Amino acid sequence: MEIKEETTADEAQQFLPLVQADHLAESKLTSLKRTASEPKLEFSLACKDLVAPTRDRKLNTFVQIAVVHPGEQTSARYSSTEIVEGTRDPLFLTGVTFPRDYPIYEETKIKLTVYDVKDKSQDTVRTSIQTEHKEPRTDIGRSFLGCATFKVGELVKSKEQQLTLSLRSSDGGKTVGTIDVSLVKMGQTEDGESDHNAADVQGQKCALVYECTSPENNSCKDNLPLLNAVLKNPICKLYRFPSSDNKWMCVREQMSESTLSFHIPKELINLHIKEDMRRNQDLKELGELSPHWDNMHKTVIAHCDQMLTLYQDMLAELEKYTGSSFKSSCSKGEKTLEFVPVNLHLQRMYVHSPRLKDVLYDVITVGAPAAHFQGFKNGGLQKLLNKFESERRNTGYQCIYYSPENTAKAKEVLSNINHLQPLISSHTDLLLNSARQHLPDSLKNSLKTLSETTELFVHAFKDQLIRNALLALYMARPGCVLKNPTVPRISVEDSGDQPNQEHPHEIKRQDSIPHHSEYDEEEWDRVWTNVGKSLNCIIAMVDRLLEKENIPSVAKENESDPLPAECVASPLSGDWYEQLYPLTVTLKDCIGEVVTRARQSMSFVLLQELACSLPQCLMLTLRRDIVFSQALAGLVCGFIIKLHSSLHDQGFLQQLHTVGLIVQYEGLLSTYSEEIGMLEDMAVGISDLQKVIFKITEAKSNDLLPVVTGRRGHYVIEIKLPEKMFELLPQEIKEGKPLHVHPVLFNVGINEQQTLAERFGDTSLQESINQENVELLKEYYKLFTEKMPPDCLPHFQEQNDLKGLLENLHQNIQAKKRKNVEIMWLAAMICRKLNGIRFTCCKSAKDRTSMSVTLEQCSILRDEHQLHKDFFIRALDCMRREGCRIENVLKNVKCRKYAFNMIQLMAFPKYYRPPEGTYGKADT
């Protein structure tokens, strides 16, 4: 049967699971048996005795791999190896791997085509998409040498699990060499000398032995549902690199999208809508106001309703979205996808080395959290928030100035109202139910719960801000008169909680309505204390009822407090319910009165914040929500992946609930032009993650997606684990102990724009960010050393090493050296040693990010796994030319080229430059 080769219509999909025709299911194809967590098939390639087109030609070869599915006669291009230069016996470091979801069977045919590359910079066929297949012409940089085809079953069933195939010319007659295909089984160890000698870049040779074992043996099928819930569309690459002691190490690189890219934004927007609906309703229920305040009130409500509609429309658009599970770099400016992180992926590297324990290394790659659609003409969040706060302080008589702390306190009070009032109501119902059924123990337990909740309620309103806001609200009513007209307590200078001192005089000047009532400043105290008195009446009544039944009474917290006369005056009847019901009604009425006053006063505080600078205030909130949503989606993804990979590490789990996790963000943004605004957005978004709390619960269904609850500035992320995974957790985590994260950001610009910033612009933003965050990192390390035992870190890491690394990082930041990438290397190393979560970000997480993560991977292989020093650059080129990151570029811009040009790369640090032929003009 003649095999014709053709490329897929969209090469971006070449690594995704393929849906086969119905007839494949009927042909009873033989499936490959591999564990659920491993790729289906992996093999390595090497050629021997290749024949050059001309005698004096030195071959520069690579192998293109294509797949012929059963029942089909055309092949689909799948992957390629790297280019090996100057030899007729190339041994390729890049292997071939098929993910577990890829439809490959024993009957599947693999076609291997060997090409000779004459000019890497002109090798455009490999780095771009062809609309239809044509044999490569010699004038475009490469020429056809030979090809061979085999069935997967032949390789799997071969005695040595290796095939040696003859490479034949295009007419099928002439033999131009042989190609060895060796099956790679990560779970097994293979001993013996390799048939090939691996040559280094200088032509020196060393004998290599191939051995590898799998780190995935520690994985369990029970863990897979969690990963499958958050990860999609894996792309796998396989490499084998020589170590310094002439052994093979096997490296598997994997990149996956995350379903959380869209799930978390939708969860957050839904919470924003509910929070804003409550706020708008509270504002509408402020009551009658004087003309000045009433006009302002109506304007604020109109703008708030418009913004609520915007959020609702945004959620509706996301709910309708049916595209891929990641947002491409080309879509970063789309309005409907503003809340979605750009190009969020898990970048994972498994290392199977002969002498060291198998390890995996994870980095989350994502575009810098930023409001791209809103733009950066006026800067980013950091600059805009400072400007906004400065303008609020100078609003004059138009509105009252409350500090950001007091505004946050007002939101907290409103949140407590919404949380505690329904709780007290349900607890009183439980108390009455116990009384109706005459259950003493249940009655005592219900009373205890009611008392604790009511005490929390009373404590939540014990704040001077409420008093001052009630007075300010009274003055904003159509008619008011004060016992003390000067109202000194409203001055900010007298108390940090009060409005602007100048404002009361302006109010008096505006208010021409005759004063017909007096404001009683002590009324709030009476209303507030009535709640406690009502609770005491209930406690006293329960005690009397239990004493009458000769049951031990409820122990009161303070026996010396005299109870109100009305609590003890009424005679007792036999019906507990009849005795308690009127007292619970009184308690609810008292609480309702407190809630009404507190809600209105705190809503008045929020009115001031909104009225000071409409619509900038609401637009700033929107921008902050957008940036936070992008940052949170990445954080939740990183947290789940880290938890999944460390479930068997007791030291990590103890660290998780004792001191929390360090989350280290590596930024590659320049401090020039628009990227300054992006960096300002990113800095605020990452800082806002400090208040995020995680809780881990046992999943009650197959839905393992995380749940977000809370409000702005106070979010709780519920991570659901399957039963067998949940059982592995310490008791503290099982009981719902809050788990904290400590985000830090280090940024070093590396591109040509950073060169301009360093020579002609300003790098102070980058310097201040790095200085602030190294102090945060030191604080975490101090907390870590104080609360964690010394043996909780991996065995090869000592605290002295960490102390030295932190000092080295501090010195590098203070040095203010241009493009000091050592800052990023040190920060990443410290993060890994502290069991942290690693992030790498640039504008789109595509080009600069790819250079950084591949460099990090090869540095880890060199420093931790003894990668042969002469193969460092070659390994780096392999990963950048044929690894997961070039596939990421393809997914984003439909072209296999990093978006750099030669002029730009001249400004890049040496190790951040891609190999020749992998960069050029591309739409980002």
Side-chain angles (χ1 to χ4, degrees):
M1 178 178 69
E2 181 183 358
I3 297 175
K4 298 178 182 178
E5 183 180 353
E6 65 179 13
T7 55
T8 55
D10 184 356
E11 198 167 321
Q13 302 297 317
Q14 62 178 317
F15 288 93
L16 310 184
L18 302 177
V19 179
Q20 300 299 306
D22 292 340
H23 71 272
L24 291 183
E26 300 170 1
S27 60
K28 299 182 180 179
L29 299 175
T30 309
S31 298
L32 300 177
K33 296 181 179 179
R34 299 301 295 272
T35 61
S37 61
E38 293 183 341
K40 274 189 177 178
L41 177 70
E42 293 178 310
F43 57 83
S44 58
L45 297 170
C47 293
K48 281 185 180 177
D49 304 322
L50 294 178
V51 177
T54 59
R55 183 170 298 179
D56 59 345
R57 167 77 180 146
K58 285 190 176 182
L59 295 174
N60 301 321
T61 52
F62 75 92
V63 181
Q64 184 172 283
I65 298 91
V67 178
V68 185
H69 293 288
E72 297 181 5
Q73 295 188 11
T74 56
S75 64
R77 195 164 69 199
Y78 183 77
S79 68
S80 300
T81 67
E82 82 281 12
I83 299 171
V84 178
E85 300 182 32
T87 176
R88 298 183 183 223
D89 300 317
L91 184 148
F92 298 100
L93 302 183
T94 307
V96 183
T97 182
F98 292 90
R100 63 176 180 269
D101 294 330
Y102 194 90
I104 192 166
Y105 308 93
E106 290 187 4
E107 293 81 1
T108 303
K109 291 183 179 180
I110 308 292
K111 182 177 181 181
L112 307 172
T113 308
V114 182
Y115 292 101
D116 174 28
V117 177
K118 294 183 177 181
D119 183 354
K120 286 191 286 186
S121 65
Q122 297 298 318
D123 184 24
T124 56
V125 175
R126 299 174 68 242
T127 55
S128 61
I129 299 175
Q130 299 181 107
T131 55
E132 60 181 51
H133 173 73
K134 296 180 181 178
E135 281 298 331
R137 306 189 311 271
T138 57
D139 61 349
I140 59 171
R142 68 177 185 171
S143 60
F144 175 86
L145 286 182
C147 64
T149 304
F150 68 93
K151 284 187 178 181
V152 171
E154 295 172 358
L155 175 61
V156 174
K157 295 176 181 178
S158 62
K159 187 176 181 181
E160 302 294 331
Q161 297 200 318
Q162 178 176 319
L163 297 176
T164 300
L165 308 172
S166 296
L167 290 166
R168 300 195 176 276
S169 57
S170 56
D171 57 9
K174 184 180 177 182
T175 301
V176 294
T178 61
I179 185 166
D180 291 338
V181 185
S182 302
L183 189 67
V184 175
K185 288 192 174 181
M186 292 294 188
Q188 299 180 6
T189 300
E190 298 183 15
D191 300 307
E193 293 293 327
S194 170
D195 292 336
H196 290 270
N197 290 329
D200 62 19
V201 290
Q202 285 82 27
Q204 299 171 343
K205 296 183 178 181
C206 56
L208 299 170
V209 180
Y210 169 73
E211 299 177 357
C212 68
T213 55
S214 175
E216 293 177 320
N217 290 339
N218 292 329
S219 297
C220 173
K221 289 182 181 179
D222 298 313
N223 298 1
L224 287 176
L226 178 64
L227 281 189
N228 291 338
V230 299
L231 297 180
K232 282 187 70 176
N233 301 332
I235 293 176
C236 297
K237 299 290 182 176
L238 178 71
Y239 312 96
R240 51 177 184 165
F241 299 132
S243 61
S244 56
D245 57 356
N246 297 338
K247 301 274 188 178
W248 281 121
M249 72 172 79
C250 294
V251 178
R252 182 187 296 149
E253 189 185 27
Q254 180 177 318
M255 181 182 69
S256 303
E257 302 167 13
S258 176
T259 57
L260 302 181
S261 288
F262 285 82
H263 174 73
I264 295 297
K266 287 191 282 189
E267 289 269 300
L268 272 179
I269 297 173
N270 195 35
L271 288 177
H272 295 330
I273 291 171
K274 291 178 180 177
E275 181 180 347
D276 290 352
M277 286 178 72
R278 285 195 298 267
R279 179 201 61 198
N280 293 3
Q281 187 61 35
D282 290 343
L283 287 172
K284 290 172 184 176
E285 293 174 357
L286 264 177
E288 191 177 1
L289 299 172
S290 62
H292 166 74
W293 293 109
D294 191 49
N295 291 334
M296 183 186 294
H297 182 223
K298 290 176 180 176
T299 303
V300 168
I301 288 176
H303 278 89
C304 287
D305 285 341
Q306 287 176 9
M307 191 57 66
L308 178 61
T309 302
L310 188 151
Y311 280 90
Q312 290 170 333
D313 292 345
M314 199 83 72
L315 180 60
E317 289 297 324
L318 284 181
E319 293 288 2
K320 290 190 292 186
Y321 182 82
T322 56
S324 68
S325 56
F326 84 106
K327 172 180 161 183
S328 73
S329 63
C330 298
S331 303
K332 61 178 172 282
E334 284 190 22
K335 180 176 175 58
T336 56
L337 301 179
E338 278 189 288
F339 282 79
V340 181
V342 178
N343 196 18
L344 174 62
H345 284 81
L346 165 66
Q347 177 79 17
R348 168 167 283 185
M349 180 176 71
Y350 290 108
V351 184
H352 320 274
S353 54
R355 291 189 300 107
L356 297 176
K357 183 180 178 182
D358 297 334
V359 193
L360 62 84
Y361 301 91
D362 290 336
V363 179
I364 305 296
T365 62
V366 63
H372 292 280
F373 176 78
Q374 295 192 24
F376 309 97
K377 182 179 180 181
N378 298 314
L381 272 174
Q382 200 170 85
K383 181 178 179 180
L384 293 170
L385 287 170
N386 290 335
K387 182 181 178 183
F388 170 72
E389 190 57 33
S390 175
E391 290 175 350
R392 278 191 63 206
R393 289 178 181 274
N394 301 310
T395 51
Y397 71 88
Q398 293 184 0
C399 58
I400 305 170
Y401 174 75
Y402 288 94
S403 68
E405 293 76 19
N406 282 333
T407 303
K409 194 180 292 182
K411 293 175 182 177
E412 185 179 352
V413 169
L414 290 170
S415 176
N416 287 331
I417 290 174
N418 295 325
H419 173 64
L420 293 174
Q421 187 183 21
L423 273 182
I424 292 173
S425 179
S426 65
H427 291 329
T428 54
D429 292 343
L430 289 173
L431 181 77
L432 291 174
N433 189 49
S434 300
R436 182 186 285 110
Q437 299 181 43
H438 216 79
L439 302 172
D441 290 339
S442 177
L443 187 69
K444 287 193 284 187
N445 291 334
S446 299
L447 180 60
K448 182 182 178 183
T449 307
L450 176 62
S451 300
E452 291 172 350
T453 308
T454 307
E455 285 170 12
L456 287 174
F457 178 86
V458 172
H459 181 73
F461 298 104
K462 192 177 182 179
D463 199 295
Q464 187 66 30
L465 175 64
I466 299 178
R467 291 173 175 275
N468 298 328
L470 281 168
L471 177 56
L473 177 59
Y474 172 78
M475 294 170 64
R477 298 297 186 194
C480 69
V481 66
L482 301 177
K483 292 180 179 178
N484 182 2
T486 57
V487 199
R489 288 195 302 160
I490 290 193
S491 167
V492 173
E493 285 74 20
D494 291 339
S495 168
D497 298 336
Q498 284 87 18
N500 191 303
Q501 186 178 18
E502 297 178 1
H503 184 73
H505 305 293
E506 298 293 341
I507 291 290
K508 285 163 56 181
R509 182 178 60 78
Q510 294 175 32
D511 191 2
S512 59
I513 299 177
H515 298 151
H516 54 78
S517 61
E518 292 188 355
Y519 177 68
D520 185 354
E521 296 182 44
E522 296 178 356
E523 185 179 5
W524 168 248
D525 290 333
R526 290 194 296 272
V527 171
W528 178 64
T529 54
N530 281 343
V531 174
K533 291 179 180 178
S534 301
L535 177 65
N536 287 337
C537 286
I538 293 175
I539 294 173
M541 180 58 70
V542 170
D543 279 348
R544 292 176 64 196
L545 292 172
L546 294 176
E547 286 171 3
K548 187 179 179 182
E549 301 284 335
N550 295 321
I551 300 170
S553 62
V554 178
K556 293 186 284 292
E557 192 174 319
N558 193 341
E559 294 285 353
S560 62
D561 284 351
L563 295 175
E566 61 269 19
C567 295
V568 293
S570 58
L572 290 178
S573 67
D575 192 328
W576 289 7
Y577 179 84
E578 287 182 3
Q579 295 293 329
L580 287 174
Y581 177 74
L583 299 180
T584 59
V585 170
T586 302
L587 175 64
K588 287 183 178 180
D589 288 344
C590 291
I591 285 173
E593 193 170 355
V594 169
V595 163
T596 299
R597 293 169 185 265
R599 193 191 296 275
Q600 286 187 344
S601 65
M602 295 300 94
S603 297
F604 189 72
V605 173
L606 298 188
L607 176 67
Q608 309 311 309
E609 180 195 39
L610 294 165
C612 282
S613 54
L614 280 174
Q616 294 93 326
C617 178
L618 292 172
M619 292 306 297
L620 260 183
T621 301
L622 173 63
R623 188 182 191 104
R624 199 165 189 169
D625 288 344
I626 288 167
V627 173
F628 179 78
S629 172
Q630 296 176 23
L632 184 64
L635 174 64
V636 177
C637 178
F639 186 92
I640 291 175
I641 298 304
K642 185 67 180 177
L643 178 65
H644 178 272
S645 63
S646 305
L647 267 177
H648 296 276
D649 184 344
Q650 293 304 312
F652 166 82
L653 294 174
Q654 183 182 355
Q655 175 187 353
L656 178 60
H657 71 78
T658 305
V659 296
L661 291 186
I662 199 75
V663 183
Q664 186 253 325
Y665 289 80
E666 173 185 305
L668 299 161
L669 294 172
S670 69
T671 53
Y672 187 81
S673 189
E674 284 194 341
E675 290 197 7
I676 297 179
M678 294 178 204
L679 185 55
E680 288 178 339
D681 276 359
M682 183 182 184
V684 173
I686 290 172
S687 178
D688 285 347
L689 295 176
Q690 293 176 10
K691 295 182 179 179
V692 173
I693 291 173
F694 287 84
K695 288 187 178 180
I696 302 176
T697 60
E698 183 178 348
K700 303 302 181 185
S701 68
N702 293 329
D703 180 10
L704 297 177
L705 287 173
V707 176
V708 185
T709 56
R711 60 185 176 86
R712 290 180 179 91
H714 299 81
Y715 288 108
V716 178
I717 316 298
E718 179 191 346
I719 305 297
K720 295 182 280 189
L721 293 185
E723 180 184 359
K724 292 185 178 179
M725 295 177 72
F726 188 75
E727 289 172 356
L728 300 173
L729 299 174
Q731 194 61 32
E732 293 90 342
I733 298 180
K734 288 181 180 178
E735 291 173 355
K737 184 175 181 180
L739 309 175
H740 298 273
V741 292
H742 303 264
V744 291
L745 165 64
F746 295 94
N747 188 85
V748 178
I750 62 171
N751 65 359
E752 77 288 351
Q753 288 191 323
Q754 186 63 22
T755 303
L756 294 173
E758 290 170 342
R759 293 185 179 178
F760 310 111
D762 182 12
T763 61
S764 59
L765 175 62
Q766 175 175 288
E767 291 167 7
S768 63
I769 287 173
N770 291 344
Q771 288 167 1
E772 289 170 12
N773 283 274
V774 76
E775 295 304 320
L776 291 175
L777 191 55
K778 286 181 178 179
E779 288 175 16
Y780 176 82
Y781 175 69
K782 182 181 178 183
L783 182 69
F784 185 93
T785 52
E786 288 174 352
K787 294 193 175 184
M788 295 296 295
D791 58 351
C792 68
L793 292 173
H795 65 279
F796 58 87
Q797 299 162 359
E798 298 179 4
Q799 290 193 15
N800 289 336
D801 293 342
L802 273 169
K803 199 170 182 180
L805 289 170
L806 278 167
E807 186 56 35
N808 196 358
L809 176 62
H810 180 80
Q811 291 173 0
N812 272 278
I813 289 172
Q814 294 298 322
K816 298 182 180 179
K817 178 183 172 184
R818 290 180 178 178
K819 294 186 182 175
N820 189 0
V821 291
E822 193 170 348
I823 290 173
M824 298 189 294
W825 302 345
L826 288 167
M829 191 180 302
I830 292 168
C831 175
R832 288 195 299 271
K833 289 182 181 291
L834 285 172
N835 297 320
I837 305 171
R838 279 273 298 113
F839 282 78
T840 298
C841 311
C842 63
K843 183 166 68 174
S844 302
K846 178 172 62 67
D847 303 302
R848 282 170 280 180
T849 294
S850 295
M851 298 302 103
S852 181
V853 294
T854 50
L855 177 59
E856 180 177 356
Q857 288 177 171
C858 289
S859 298
I860 290 171
L861 295 178
R862 178 194 61 200
D863 299 337
E864 304 290 347
H865 300 276
Q866 289 75 53
L867 172 67
H868 197 291
K869 62 179 182 178
D870 294 329
F871 281 79
F872 179 80
I873 297 298
R874 187 171 164 190
L876 195 57
D877 284 356
C878 277
M879 289 184 176
R880 289 173 175 174
R881 187 182 293 276
E882 298 298 340
C884 290
R885 298 314 302 184
I886 198 71
E887 303 300 334
N888 182 271
V889 173
L890 179 64
K891 287 171 67 173
N892 277 275
V893 296
K894 310 300 184 219
C895 176
R896 289 180 183 273
K897 285 196 180 244
Y898 300 110
F900 306 129
N901 58 46
M902 184 63 75
I903 303 298
Q904 288 175 313
L905 292 178
M906 289 172 65
F908 275 51
K910 178 181 176 182
Y911 291 113
Y912 289 83
R913 300 170 186 171
E916 188 180 3
T918 62
Y919 57 88
K921 185 179 180 182
D923 179 18
T924 62

